[in-house]
Amino acid sequence: METNKKQGRYERIFKQLQGLLVKTDDPIARMATVAAVLSHKFDYFFWCGFYRLTGEKLVVGPYQGPPACQVLEGTGVCLAALHQKKSIVVPDVHKFPGHIACDSRSNSEIVIPVYDKSGSISAVLDVDSTSFNSFDETDRLNLEKIATLVYVIS
Ligand code: SME
């Protein structure tokens, strides 16, 4: 998608989410709303959702898309983002050492840390695409902004 078009869409989505996330501070409800809106607005978001930190593992949370791994442990892009405390953009998942393939149709991926009110990472936002090179800096910056809405009280 062309950068300006993508940026404009993210800006409209951010405003829409600010309007929707006013009824509850429950992070699960907010994750569900974020996943639903993103999934419906971007057709290249093949899988879009959250994994929540539980001990050393990531357990699947609200998502849209085909059934995914319930628990991630050991390796993978999501755990790498958690351990490195930063977003990771993967143009080709087949070249990422330790990538966990929940669905063989995924070819590129982006993972964004989600910080709770204490400043700790409590979850990650994960988006997969069936195309290679789907995610860029526009996705990273805007998804990082959107991820802050999970724990913000409007
Ligand atoms: N590919 C991820 C696993 C989650 S699925 O993409 C939904 C990973 O390597 O952590």
Side-chain angles (χ1 to χ4, degrees):
M1 181 185 282
E2 193 265 317
T3 302
N4 285 343
K5 186 176 175 190
K6 188 191 276 191
Q7 181 61 32
R9 190 171 300 184
Y10 271 121
E11 285 170 14
R12 289 190 295 279
I13 287 171
F14 188 79
K15 288 199 183 93
Q16 182 186 1
L17 282 169
Q18 282 181 311
L20 287 168
L21 301 176
V22 292
K23 297 289 185 190
T24 175
D25 62 0
D26 182 324
I28 305 293
R30 296 167 78 96
M31 287 177 188
T33 302
V34 169
V37 170
L38 287 174
S39 173
H40 281 83
K41 297 291 180 180
F42 286 110
D43 56 11
Y44 63 100
F45 283 25
F46 171 63
W47 192 93
C48 172
F50 293 86
Y51 279 91
R52 298 162 61 221
L53 183 60
T54 306
E56 305 275 297
K57 302 174 185 177
L58 286 168
V59 177
V60 79
Y63 69 90
Q64 300 271 318
C69 313
Q70 282 198 296
V71 179
L72 304 175
E73 51 188 320
T75 66
V77 186
C78 292
L79 278 161
L82 177 75
H83 294 145
Q84 293 172 28
K85 297 185 168 50
K86 63 170 197 179
S87 301
I88 299 182
V89 176
V90 185
D92 178 350
V93 297
H94 310 288
K95 293 184 178 158
F96 190 95
H99 168 257
I100 297 171
C102 296
D103 190 301
S104 60
R105 290 170 288 181
S106 291
N107 282 315
S108 62
E109 179 167 9
I110 185 168
V111 179
I112 309 286
V114 178
Y115 293 88
D116 66 18
K117 285 180 208 155
S118 74
S120 302
I121 300 176
S122 64
V124 296
L125 169 60
D126 180 16
V127 186
D128 287 19
S129 167
T130 56
S131 301
F132 293 96
N133 292 304
S134 284
F135 306 103
D136 57 19
E137 281 296 280
T138 302
D139 295 286
R140 182 180 70 77
L141 292 167
N142 283 283
L143 290 173
E144 285 177 352
K145 195 173 160 195
I146 286 169
T148 66
L149 292 173
V150 171
Y151 284 95
V152 167
I153 313 245
S154 303

